[in-house]
Amino acid sequence: MRGGLLVAGTTSDAGKSVVTAGICRWLVRQGVKVAPFKGQNMSLNSFVTREGAEIGRAQAMQAQAARVEPSALMNPVLLKPGSDRSSQVVLMGKPVGELSASGYHGGRQEALLGTVVDCLERLRGTYDAVICEGAGSPAEINLRRTDIVNMGIARAARLPVVVVGDIDRGGVFASFFGTTALLSPEDQALVAGYIVNKFRGDVSLLQPGIDMLRGLTGRHTYGILPYAHGLGIDEEDGLRVSLRGAVRESVVAPPVGEDVLRVAVCAIPLMSNFTDVDALAAEPGVVVRFVDRPEELADADLVVVPGTRGTVRALEWLRERGLARELARRAAEGRPVLGICGGFQVLGEHIDDEVESRAGSVTGLGLLPVRVRFAAEKTLARPTGEALGERVDGYEIHHGVAEVFGGEAFLDGCRVGAVWGTHWHGSLESDGFRRRFLERVASAAGRRFVPAPDTSFGALREEQLDRLGDLIEEHADTDALMRLIEQGAPAGLPFIAPGAPA
């Protein structure tokens, strides 16, 4: 078997990432050697591979679903927004510059198609199947000429395409039809059909619409996936919920001890790797919320200042919002604060940035004895260490180089009183360390909270990926999907007018 498939979507956040992961987990359970792929990703949630390459976290999650080691080949182009109009371009896992949206789409993107196709072909030469994820919508007609992630890669590699639509948003049939009808005849010839995502209710009530869609388009619906609560799978473009909402949709598990722990995460601008707090939310009795007002820190037992693509901008935002004063008050009162990566940097005394913001010398919050200097070369690493008597694994993605000149050593950062800081993302996924850290937080907060002795974040993640595989296996036409992956798009698919504009 040497097959492939592109999972496109009617919109951003239609469910492409989770459907791709679900197909990968279903295939690997069938004995298929499978890999994920996304030619171009725009995300502030990224991951570092073992060879030191930065890729989107969604592709790292999909690699885990496929039970393979993630690599730069799976996400050759990563765009990390630094503002509404510019992004850092990460090529084959390494940053190569900052470009405006017009500069990127004006020629640079199209020039990368060869690299993207080469990476895909290398994966297809190694794996039985490669399941590709698109971006946004394939019917973004203003961007089709330079597209390297949707129909551009499908055409170049002759991949069949299924389009995912989120029925929870409404208008899914119009979205399927309109998406197809705005593609050129050559592109439409590769669109084999559709997958309905997040359906609630009786499937029989949807069937007349599915039949009419088949009559209108001549295309098969490959699955009707039910709404699944509390998956908590890594996203790429945004938070799973409003910044003022809880991290998980599921009801928080009851605490082992007498109290719960309340964690407030500062929703700073250009927040990156907010998935760091997923491991906290997985603990029974820990309630995690994203906040943007100082009064919301009042009842928090722990405040997390997360990573960011704009450290100086985040620092300004904390001051403008009054959150900086509350953080200083917490530190003075011995109430726990944890800064991760950019969040660690803003807690220091001084920042010298001629790289990211080009703001030059900036005074930090002064809660940790740290000076930060931004270097042109990005640190990308997978460190291992020890803290609180437990092994800790993490990953680093930052331009800021920290000079620590006091406090108690904590991973690569430091601790002063109840204020902790480190560049290490993912450290809270280390179960033993997370438990010891939460014990310290509970003690400082005066809470009778006891960490569950058996919570395994890795096992929970595997359970979630198995749930995605189950969704595909139980609610998709897997025989038809397998034929599509092996044989490509059916011949003779009808053209839907009007097609792409000339």
Side-chain angles (χ1 to χ4, degrees):
M1 177 182 183
R2 279 289 183 268
L5 177 69
L6 175 70
V7 179
T10 56
T11 62
S12 293
D13 202 31
K16 298 183 292 290
S17 294
V18 295
V19 169
T20 300
I23 293 174
C24 285
R25 178 50 59 102
W26 161 65
L27 284 172
V28 78
R29 293 196 306 209
Q30 309 309 306
V32 177
K33 187 180 178 184
V34 59
F37 178 80
K38 186 163 186 173
Q40 173 195 291
N41 199 344
M42 177 174 279
S43 179
L44 287 172
N45 276 346
S46 58
F47 181 76
V48 179
T49 67
R50 293 202 181 279
E51 67 266 28
E54 185 179 9
I55 66 171
R57 268 198 75 97
Q59 279 60 66
M61 174 270 292
Q62 291 160 358
Q64 186 176 349
R67 297 183 179 139
V68 296
E69 189 67 31
S71 80
L73 291 175
M74 298 172 184
N75 179 207
V77 181
L78 173 63
L79 306 179
K80 303 193 74 174
S83 71
D84 292 339
R85 297 191 175 187
S86 68
S87 295
Q88 183 182 67
V89 180
V90 180
L91 180 61
M92 296 303 295
K94 304 296 181 184
V96 295
E98 197 91 11
L99 278 179
S100 67
S102 59
Y104 184 67
H105 291 288
R108 182 63 187 271
Q109 182 185 35
E110 192 174 13
L112 293 173
L113 180 60
T115 299
V116 170
V117 171
D118 177 65
C119 289
L120 175 58
E121 290 308 310
R122 288 170 65 184
L123 288 174
R124 295 182 77 177
T126 304
Y127 293 89
D128 300 331
V130 179
I131 307 303
C132 307
E133 179 189 346
S137 163
E140 291 169 348
I141 54 180
N142 57 314
L143 302 177
R144 175 61 185 91
R145 182 180 63 81
T146 59
D147 171 46
I148 64 172
V149 67
N150 290 306
M151 301 313 299
I153 189 68
R155 285 268 293 278
R158 303 305 300 169
L159 291 172
V161 179
V162 292
V163 180
V164 178
D166 180 357
I167 198 170
D168 209 41
R169 297 184 177 193
V172 73
F173 293 119
S175 297
F176 284 145
F177 184 88
T179 297
T180 309
L182 278 178
L183 300 179
S184 69
E186 295 83 2
D187 286 353
Q188 287 192 26
L190 295 174
V191 177
Y194 314 106
I195 292 178
V196 177
N197 192 30
K198 298 185 183 178
F199 180 73
R200 308 173 194 246
D202 185 348
V203 174
S204 67
L205 298 177
L206 193 66
Q207 193 59 47
I210 297 296
D211 294 340
M212 284 185 273
L213 184 67
R214 179 68 180 257
L216 287 166
T217 67
R219 286 162 171 83
H220 183 58
T221 295
Y222 286 84
I224 301 171
L225 309 184
Y227 191 97
H229 290 273
L231 283 173
I233 294 295
D234 295 357
E235 299 281 352
E236 57 181 35
D237 296 326
L239 294 174
R240 281 185 294 280
V241 293
S242 160
L243 291 182
R244 303 185 56 73
V247 168
R248 294 187 181 275
E249 300 168 357
S250 56
V251 176
V252 176
V256 175
E258 297 179 44
D259 288 342
V260 299
L261 276 186
R262 295 173 177 83
V263 179
V265 185
C266 296
I268 56 180
L270 297 173
M271 182 169 18
S272 62
N273 289 68
F274 53 79
T275 48
D276 282 332
V277 300
D278 280 358
L280 295 178
E283 283 286 346
V286 177
V287 183
V288 180
R289 297 183 68 83
F290 289 91
V291 304
D292 59 6
R293 298 190 305 220
E295 56 268 28
E296 294 176 300
L297 304 188
D299 66 346
D301 302 308
L302 169 67
V303 174
V304 177
V305 187
T308 174
R309 173 80 165 85
T311 299
V312 171
R313 181 175 168 187
L315 182 59
E316 293 170 349
W317 182 86
L318 290 168
R319 286 177 169 139
E320 290 167 359
R321 291 282 180 137
L323 289 159
R325 289 193 302 273
E326 289 304 310
L327 290 171
R329 182 176 293 131
R330 288 185 66 90
E333 294 171 354
R335 302 175 65 198
V337 175
L338 171 64
I340 302 174
C341 201
F344 165 43
Q345 294 167 7
V346 304
L347 297 179
E349 295 187 0
H350 182 82
I351 298 170
D352 186 7
D353 180 13
E354 298 290 353
V355 175
E356 188 176 77
S357 69
R358 296 181 174 85
S361 180
V362 178
T363 301
L365 298 185
L367 305 185
L368 289 175
V370 175
R371 299 187 188 96
V372 177
R373 176 186 56 80
F374 274 68
E377 185 173 347
K378 181 184 286 190
T379 297
L380 297 168
R382 289 274 292 270
T384 296
E386 184 177 301
L388 306 181
E390 300 284 349
R391 176 189 167 96
V392 185
D393 297 308
Y395 57 99
E396 295 184 68
I397 306 169
H398 54 92
H399 282 280
V401 178
E403 177 194 355
V404 179
F405 55 91
E408 177 184 337
F410 174 62
L411 302 177
D412 72 326
C414 66
R415 170 197 173 194
V416 173
V419 181
W420 312 65
T422 177
H423 276 127
W424 290 21
H425 294 291
S427 61
L428 294 167
E429 296 179 17
S430 298
D431 297 325
F433 164 70
R434 184 179 63 254
R435 295 186 192 111
R436 301 291 84 78
F437 178 71
L438 289 176
E439 287 172 354
R440 297 290 185 94
V441 169
S443 176
R447 298 287 186 189
R448 290 172 293 183
F449 169 86
V450 178
D454 55 354
T455 301
S456 166
F457 185 75
L460 289 171
R461 175 55 54 86
E462 278 296 305
E463 289 174 13
Q464 291 169 335
L465 294 172
D466 276 332
R467 286 179 64 195
L468 293 181
D470 293 342
L471 285 175
I472 299 298
E473 191 164 337
E474 297 168 11
H475 301 282
D477 185 344
T478 52
D479 289 340
L481 263 181
M482 189 69 83
R483 285 195 301 273
L484 188 63
I485 293 167
E486 290 180 324
Q487 301 172 15
L493 291 169
F495 171 71
I496 310 301

